[in-house]
Amino acid sequence: FLRANQFRLIRCFILGRQIWPGIRCMESSLISSPIGVLAVLCAVAAFFFLLAQVTEAKLFNYIPPLLFIYATPVFLSNLAIGGQTVIPNSSIIYGGLSKYALPVFIVLMLIKVNVPAIVKVMGKGVLVMLMGTAGVMVGGVVSYVIVHGWLPDDSWKGVGTLAGSWIGGTANMLAAKEILDAPESQFTLAIVADNVIYIVWLPLLLMSRDYADKFNKWARVPEDRLAAMDAAAELHVEDDHAPTMSQYLYLAAVVLGVTAIGHALSPAIAGWIADSSPGLAGIFSETTTRILLITTIALGLSTTPVSKLPNSTAIGTALVYVFVAGMGARAEVAGLGDAPAFVLGAFIWIFIHGAFMLAGAWIFRVDVHSVAIASAANIGAAASAPIVAAHHRPNLVPASILLALLGYALGNYLAPLTGHLARMAVGQ
């Protein structure tokens, strides 16, 4: 017990906090009420987007607000002044976000997936993105085999968590973390590696535009591909109008209804799986079953008129950032000593993803613009794909968002699978 909790104990002694019987540190914070904690998380998320908007600093193109939104609550809940932190390291709000906010934003983001529109505009670029997704899965397993000796035994959960971000996006990263029950230390490593790679990878995707002619010649891109893609992009223009009150009510009914169904059915389904296939009981927990069930229902609704309800993606993304702030608030920095090995694995990982992207471009004869957008849709998701698309071909910005949503659709299934494959590859 002492060895497992040495960081918390040291922190308690240094900060002069009271130790209860059973060697537990009593958390003391300036803001401890649930609504106060939630207000702080929302304020942190809003502040960094306001700062990015007001300053228009290019820094936020390369270091996204997500990193600051995660890191700030880490300091607010771990750094004490006068024996008190700003917010607690443990709160009912954090558990509530995991149990209720997570399924809500999954539904909000997945009901907008429009596969036919993506295929119409991007064509074989979709196949290249799927190759990149396969590269993320293979890269995660291979890199973990190489570096796992320097990491804790449960680091495969961190691999699955990071795979969620690189297959889909932050929402999938959070879902994979919950599905795999990854410890906070592994989530912190995934956040660090994600942002380090992003800082390196995004400029490469942007710079690739300067080599379009050479790349397209190497990939044997048909001369009419770009013209056909531009024509399809012009045809796919969605109506943009302000949401009405009734549409918000419909959206709330759908989202909360799907969430309620997931919570109601997942215990019975998880129990049935455990009874019929005991070997799968450790994989399909109640949390895993709930998230996968909600994901599947939401994807089914994306083929119905529900997908026309406006603003769902924006609301879902806002909830994601509040959730990320909550994850930062309950994080502990004890595991950062493993960061160099984990980041090394992430560099090996992204190299394999890039190799798969190049192979896909050559096999399917796809242009560099589509390849860069497809990779950004994987590695950077909906936050980065539009940036890369605007730099390469601005008329593909709507298609890039749709491509990122396709990644969201795949992430909740494939990211946990990647983690388990990494675990099995090293015999853990």
Side-chain angles (χ1 to χ4, degrees), residues 305-391:
V306 169
S307 65
K308 302 298 182 183
L309 292 174
N311 260 26
S312 65
T313 302
I315 298 172
T317 303
L319 285 176
V320 166
Y321 286 112
V322 174
F323 193 100
V324 167
M327 296 300 296
R330 56 182 176 179
E332 294 187 354
V333 296
L336 284 178
D338 299 315
F342 199 93
V343 171
L344 172 62
F347 272 104
I348 298 171
W349 190 345
I350 199 67
F351 174 81
I352 295 172
H353 163 77
F356 270 71
M357 294 298 296
L358 292 176
W362 193 87
I363 292 170
F364 300 113
R365 303 172 69 179
V366 170
D367 59 282
V368 70
H369 313 295
S370 298
V371 173
I373 293 170
S375 181
N378 268 148
I379 305 304
S384 301
I387 296 174
V388 175
H391 183 73

Side-chain angles (χ1 to χ4, degrees), residues 2-22:
L2 293 173
R3 185 178 183 87
N5 292 275
Q6 58 185 341
F7 173 74
R8 183 177 288 276
L9 292 172
I10 291 171
R11 188 178 69 171
C12 292
F13 283 118
I14 290 176
L15 298 178
R17 298 183 186 177
Q18 178 182 349
I19 305 294
W20 282 12

Side-chain angles (χ1 to χ4, degrees), residues 155-186:
S155 295
W156 61 271
K157 296 181 179 181
V159 169
T161 299
L162 182 53
S165 178
W166 286 1
I167 291 174
T170 305
N172 302 105
M173 185 184 203
L174 299 170
K177 191 266 182 194
E178 295 296 321
I179 289 174
L180 297 173
D181 193 25
E184 304 304 328
S185 59
Q186 290 301 316

Side-chain angles (χ1 to χ4, degrees), residues 124-125 127-132 134 215-222 225 355-367 371:
K124 292 182 179 179
L127 298 177
V128 175
M129 178 187 172
L130 295 178
M131 283 283 291
F215 185 97
N216 294 346
K217 183 178 180 180
W218 168 80
R220 305 161 297 127
V221 178
R225 170 172 170 76
F356 270 71
M357 294 298 296
L358 292 176
W362 193 87
I363 292 170
F364 300 113
R365 303 172 69 179
V366 170
D367 59 282
V371 173

Side-chain angles (χ1 to χ4, degrees), residues 13 54 92 109 117 127 135 139 165 191 256 291 330 365 373 412:
F13 283 118
V54 171
I92 190 174
M109 302 188 79
L127 298 177
S165 178
I191 284 281
L256 296 179
I291 292 174
R330 56 182 176 179
R365 303 172 69 179
I373 293 170
N412 288 355

